[in-house]
Amino acid sequence: EILRIAACIEEHFPHSVARAIVKGAADRGLNHQEEHAEVQYIVAHGIATTLHGKRAIIGSHHFVSEDEHVEITAEQQAAIEAQSGGCSVVYLAIGGKLSGVLCISDPPRAEAGEAIGLLKKAGIDLMDVVMLTGDSQKAAEVTAAKLGITKCFAQVLPEDKHRYVEQLKADGHRVIMVGDGINDAPALAAADVSVAMSDASDTAREAADIPLRGADLTELATLRTLSEKLMTRIHRNYRFIIGFNSSLLLLGLFGIIAPTTSAFLHNASTMAI
């Protein structure tokens, strides 16, 4: 019943957690009808609506407990933590009371570990790879351990991500931010270089400097390598042009070559480059 109600509310939003809940209900053959009023999406927190005359909310612990003041006893929280493992936990409250929780397995992308290894080979120190997530601390630690990330921050809001990026910049670091959700948009806008994958939200893609065409994280390393090679070629060609054209000017100045010859060599070198 908890899953059916949650799917009924969540089906209106193209969020990864929402899609997981809707798919979970569909896989179990749980059909549902519209029984709620208009739904309201609270960014980085959850969803609120009215169900059978009672306020129904679904989202993070912070949203349900701290913002909406729904009581979650120590015993309830202990039971949730004991059974959830490394899963993401979504809380459902109806009429001001906790009705149930949903534990969602949120494994990293299959290529995530390889992508981090490739980024390290491309010159980015693994110690400088930081994970910022709105997920629970336990779930974040499990994912970070799988990927070999030593620095992660959990239960962070969009403004927290933005603040962290700004702090890194203030400390003299150049920041590359990779994000895919609405919650990542402020941090993407603040970063020196921001990247959004092809399956990112429209807001994230608008905020990013570089929207990738693919959804494979290893493309980040490819992008890094191509960028370095491109800059190497640009600088090499620039040095050649300056040196070659300066030589033509000096040769023409001292009358060693004719202006027509200089013009021909200049254009020929441009075509060759």
Side-chain angles (χ1 to χ4, degrees):
E1 180 67 8
I2 293 298
L3 181 56
R4 186 186 67 80
I5 294 173
C8 185
I9 298 174
E10 292 276 14
E11 67 179 351
H12 302 279
F13 296 95
H15 188 275
S16 56
V17 171
R19 288 196 295 265
I21 292 173
V22 173
K23 183 178 183 299
D27 291 345
R28 292 162 177 79
L30 301 177
N31 299 318
H32 54 265
Q33 297 178 346
E34 292 291 349
E35 300 175 350
H36 56 77
E38 183 178 353
V39 292
Q40 177 188 9
Y41 177 58
I42 297 93
V43 176
H45 288 76
I47 299 173
T49 186
T50 300
L51 182 67
H52 302 309
K54 297 181 179 180
R55 181 171 173 79
I57 56 174
I58 183 170
S60 66
H61 181 279
H62 170 81
F63 172 54
V64 173
S65 177
E66 299 178 27
D67 291 353
E68 294 289 332
H69 307 293
V70 174
E71 182 183 8
I72 302 175
T73 66
E75 291 78 12
Q76 287 175 327
Q77 189 59 41
I80 292 168
E81 292 178 359
Q83 297 184 50
S84 63
C87 293
S88 302
V89 180
V90 179
Y91 296 76
L92 173 66
I94 301 174
K97 295 182 179 181
L98 183 66
S99 299
V101 298
L102 300 169
C103 300
I104 302 173
S105 175
D106 188 17
R109 297 183 189 224
E111 78 281 5
E114 179 187 1
I116 292 177
L118 291 173
L119 286 172
K120 185 179 181 181
K121 291 181 180 178
I124 298 177
D125 193 331
L126 189 61
M127 294 298 292
D128 291 333
V129 178
V130 182
M131 182 172 71
L132 303 175
T133 176
D135 215 331
S136 67
Q137 184 68 39
K138 192 172 183 179
E141 290 174 352
V142 169
T143 299
K146 288 180 180 178
L147 301 179
I149 297 175
T150 56
K151 190 182 296 183
C152 71
F153 297 92
Q155 296 181 324
V156 292
L157 300 175
E159 54 266 32
D160 298 324
K161 295 181 181 181
H162 177 269
R163 190 181 305 111
Y164 185 78
V165 170
E166 290 289 7
Q167 184 60 53
L168 286 176
K169 292 171 62 179
D171 292 340
H173 299 286
R174 286 182 293 178
V175 182
I176 304 170
M177 172 71 184
V178 183
D180 62 359
I182 297 175
N183 303 343
D184 298 320
L188 288 169
D192 294 300
V193 178
S194 53
V195 183
M197 311 305 290
S198 64
D199 55 355
S201 68
D202 292 339
T203 304
R205 290 176 63 81
E206 281 293 326
D209 299 311
I210 306 169
L212 294 181
R213 293 183 61 187
D216 193 316
L217 288 174
T218 58
E219 292 189 10
L220 294 171
T222 304
L223 174 65
R224 165 86 172 186
T225 302
L226 287 175
S227 299
E228 289 184 323
K229 289 183 176 180
L230 177 60
M231 291 308 299
T232 298
R233 173 173 290 187
I234 289 173
H235 290 307
R236 183 180 66 238
N237 289 350
Y238 178 75
R239 289 192 297 270
F240 174 80
I241 289 170
I242 292 297
F244 189 75
N245 286 348
S246 297
S247 300
L248 293 178
L249 287 172
L250 290 173
L251 291 173
L253 181 65
F254 290 105
I256 298 176
I257 60 175
T260 53
T261 303
S262 178
F264 171 78
L265 291 174
H266 167 72
N267 286 287
S269 67
T270 301
M271 294 296 294
I273 290 174

